[in-house]
Amino acid sequence: MNYISTRDSSIKVSAASAIAKGISTEGGLFVPESIPALTSEDFSVLCKMDYPARASFILGKFLGDFTAEEVDHCTNGAYKGTFDNEKPAPLYNLYGDVDILELWHGPTCAFKDLALQILPFLLTTSASKVSGGKKTVILVATSGDTGKAALEGFKDVDGTEIMVFYPSEGVSPMQKLQMDTQEGKNVSVYAIKGNFDDAQSGVKRIFTDPEMGEKLKENNMLFSSANSINWGRLAPQIVYYVSAYCDLLNGGKNPENGFNVTVPTGNFGNILAAYYAKLMGVPVAKLICASNANKVLTDFLETGVYDRNRSFFTTISPSMDILISSNLERMLFEISNRDDKKTSQWQKALKDEGKYQVDADVKAKLDDLFYGGFCDDEKTKETIKAVYDKYGYLCDTHTAVAIAVYEEYKAKTGDERPAVIASTASPYKFAASVLDALGEKPSNDEFETVEQLSKLTKTTPPAPINALRGKEVRFNNICEPENMADAVLEYLNIK
Ligand SMILES: *Cc1c(COP(=O)(O)O)cnc(C)c1O
């Protein structure tokens, strides 16, 4: 199984190389040469397995140059004893045929843990095959959750250094605290004066800057990415959609006509994984793409025009405050029948003019696959309250966006097929907004707010949140987006 680039499909590299590099030299994203198909026998076998074994089964198909032992080493290291639930990605029945896929039982309480607990294993295994003893320097742009999850995953991992850049005004107090107090001898954290897109563009610029690449090489280092542009981030996300299907079957549900999947979407990584699961044979029906007020994807799915020239909103679902959804590139590559020329043109237009329009045939395929909807902060809060009052279920702001858009989809279309809604963060990660939604005034102190939420809802805050109390702040670096490269050189102590 080799990997090709979305912008030049003549570029072909091994899985280890795709993961070690993170992004193709000309700026394209790596995708598998072909998508492995799962048979009904495969599903019967998968249904009997626990999560780490399911992950080995699925990931083994994508990791052509890994041995079975290496794959098991990665999945066991990532998923055994690291999540607060026996199942890392359990289903919670909200009502009837609607299940919540809870993806926040990991060490940083957001769905990024499912991928970032395993990425360090995948990356160090890959590097040992292809990087000839070079140190791997991970650069991360984060809208809040990736940063912390990557720091936790990579802290004190031999042969790696990790640097995280987050928008100074764009993360929740808890997210900021989680990152600024990070432990580990190979970690560094920066607040960027700008938004997530500025941080992401800055990181991409450094990755593709030949001069920076050369400097690292001279010092026996190389860059890699822990963002979902790295295939090593994406592949583990496919696993939980396969696993959710197995759990539906094990729970006696057989969605004969498929099941709908709703995903609160930002960078388009999570929903893309659901699409790949569908291509592998999981009977996913509609992919429901839920956005907040930054509804560039809703508009794109409606009109076929992707246009980032618009106001940027800071919302109560900050991990979705994104106007450039990087992984859409992989999606467009796939549904244009892997047309690397067109994919490059669209991405170039996005870079140069901030917009592009897809062809009619691509638009027709999008219509068939997707429904796009959005939900503003007011509606997000209403949804948190309604879901709590009606079902006794406490959800975070991102999950609420997904639930609201799903209900809107169902009301509009009458599509009553079974549904899985991805829940991407613990409500305690956004305690102030959640408490406010329930009609109580949050305290100015983040931990008192956590206490209030716990008392009001008689739920227990996750242990990693409690553990932040009184922890020493280690980082308070602030950086202009254009100075990110200098920050990297300075941290690495190279000229
Ligand atoms: C990252 C994140 C999202 C968006 O996921 P993408 O894969 O970037 O689309 C949604 N919710 C939460 C809580 C997140 O951390």
Side-chain angles (χ1 to χ4, degrees):
M1 165 73 77
N2 283 315
Y3 286 75
I4 56 175
S5 165
T6 50
R7 297 191 198 174
D8 179 355
S9 41
S10 71
I11 293 177
K12 200 174 279 189
V13 302
S14 69
S17 184
I19 293 170
K21 286 168 68 109
I23 187 168
S24 186
T25 328
E26 87 296 357
L29 306 185
F30 290 117
V31 296
E33 209 173 10
S34 62
I35 307 299
L38 296 170
T39 63
S40 53
E41 287 78 48
D42 288 338
F43 283 117
S44 329
V45 174
L46 280 160
C47 278
K48 296 191 188 77
M49 293 175 164
D50 65 5
Y51 196 89
R54 286 175 184 169
S56 288
F57 191 100
I58 302 299
L59 293 177
K61 296 189 179 291
F62 287 103
L63 300 170
D65 48 347
F66 281 47
T67 65
E69 289 70 32
E70 285 170 338
V71 175
D72 285 341
H73 166 71
C74 295
T75 59
N76 289 332
Y79 301 125
K80 287 205 168 149
T82 46
F83 285 68
D84 75 4
N85 193 299
E86 176 209 350
K87 291 180 173 181
L91 284 177
Y92 175 93
N93 185 255
L94 189 64
Y95 65 88
D97 268 346
V98 178
D99 285 279
I100 302 281
L101 177 58
E102 290 184 346
L103 299 172
W104 40 263
H105 290 281
T108 76
C109 314
F111 90 95
K112 307 292 197 292
D113 287 327
L114 269 306
L116 282 160
Q117 280 296 301
I118 193 168
L119 185 65
F121 290 98
L122 296 175
L123 201 87
T124 48
T125 309
S126 297
S128 71
K129 291 177 190 297
V130 298
S131 305
K134 287 196 187 70
K135 183 178 255 187
T136 305
V137 180
I138 318 281
L139 302 184
V140 184
T142 182
S143 55
D145 291 328
T146 299
K148 177 60 183 178
L151 289 163
E152 267 311 299
F154 280 98
K155 75 166 179 220
D156 296 331
V157 172
D158 283 342
T160 69
E161 294 287 342
I162 172 163
M163 301 181 70
V164 167
F165 300 91
Y166 69 80
S168 60
E169 305 300 324
V171 299
S172 83
M174 197 57 87
Q175 288 176 317
K176 183 172 159 58
L177 200 60
Q178 279 187 315
M179 290 187 276
D180 290 349
T181 58
Q182 179 64 43
E183 292 168 7
K185 58 184 182 330
N186 62 337
V187 304
S188 191
V189 175
Y190 298 81
I192 292 294
K193 285 192 190 156
N195 60 32
F196 170 72
D197 295 311
D198 297 321
Q200 176 159 263
S201 305
V203 163
K204 271 197 179 169
R205 216 164 36 237
I206 296 171
F207 277 139
T208 47
D209 178 349
E211 208 178 310
M212 289 293 283
E214 203 47 48
K215 277 185 187 157
L216 262 79
K217 209 166 157 195
E218 283 163 16
N219 288 277
N220 208 30
M221 301 176 183
L222 92 174
F223 284 129
S224 190
S225 165
N227 281 101
S228 52
I229 53 176
N230 193 323
W231 180 257
R233 263 289 296 280
L234 219 73
Q237 300 188 171
I238 300 172
V239 174
Y240 52 74
Y241 289 108
V242 176
S243 179
Y245 176 52
C246 292
D247 288 347
L248 285 179
L249 292 176
N250 285 347
K253 292 185 184 161
N254 190 358
E256 286 149 34
N257 300 316
F259 62 100
N260 296 323
V261 172
T262 306
V263 184
T265 297
N267 221 357
F268 212 78
N270 200 354
I271 197 163
L272 180 73
Y275 169 72
Y276 277 122
K278 179 180 167 83
L279 291 185
M280 291 182 81
V282 176
V284 173
K286 265 296 183 224
L287 291 158
I288 300 169
C289 176
S291 302
N292 64 24
N294 295 294
K295 61 183 187 67
V296 62
L297 287 166
T298 313
D299 293 343
F300 171 65
L301 291 170
E302 196 181 310
T303 63
V305 178
Y306 193 97
D307 188 355
R308 61 155 303 199
N309 303 305
R310 59 177 71 213
S311 306
F312 177 89
F313 300 106
T314 300
T315 73
I316 58 170
S317 44
S319 302
M320 295 153 68
D321 290 347
I322 291 177
L323 293 180
I324 306 175
S325 301
S326 297
N327 271 299
L328 192 58
E329 176 168 349
R330 284 189 168 106
M331 184 78 219
L332 294 176
F333 181 71
E334 298 296 350
I335 59 173
S336 63
N337 298 319
R338 303 195 142 201
D339 189 328
D340 56 351
K341 302 274 171 323
K342 266 190 196 156
T343 307
S344 310
Q345 279 164 16
W346 291 325
Q347 294 307 317
K348 186 168 182 317
L350 181 63
K351 190 157 171 261
D352 296 345
E353 294 141 50
K355 65 189 270 191
Y356 59 85
Q357 174 162 22
V358 296
D359 314 347
D361 57 330
V362 168
K363 174 67 170 62
K365 280 190 200 159
L366 287 171
D367 289 346
D368 196 40
L369 284 164
F370 288 93
Y371 172 84
F374 78 102
C375 162
D376 63 14
D377 281 356
E378 218 38 59
K379 177 84 183 158
T380 305
K381 286 192 216 164
E382 274 171 32
T383 306
I384 291 172
K385 173 125 179 61
V387 167
Y388 184 69
D389 288 347
K390 204 161 172 191
Y391 310 112
Y393 186 73
L394 188 65
C395 71
D396 94 296
T397 48
H398 304 77
T399 307
V401 168
I403 295 175
V405 171
Y406 168 69
E407 293 297 341
E408 169 198 282
Y409 166 78
K410 198 164 66 167
K412 253 190 201 166
T413 60
D415 182 352
E416 296 271 349
R417 277 178 289 201
V420 167
I421 299 173
S423 174
T424 49
S426 157
Y428 282 95
K429 226 176 158 169
F430 304 93
S433 301
V434 172
L435 194 66
D436 179 38
L438 297 179
E440 270 205 26
K441 190 169 161 17
S443 150
N444 286 331
D445 177 273
E446 195 59 20
F447 293 102
E448 247 168 59
T449 306
V450 164
E451 215 40 55
Q452 281 175 282
L453 185 60
S454 172
K455 271 216 186 96
L456 179 70
T457 60
K458 300 184 183 62
T459 56
T460 314
I465 298 275
N466 278 333
L468 286 175
R469 232 175 264 256
K471 222 171 158 190
E472 180 206 353
V473 170
R474 290 187 64 206
F475 300 101
N476 54 10
N477 306 311
I478 298 191
C479 176
E480 298 284 348
E482 57 274 20
N483 295 337
M484 287 167 64
D486 292 337
V488 170
L489 295 177
E490 190 182 302
Y491 172 70
L492 297 174
N493 203 12
I494 58 182
K495 296 261 155 31

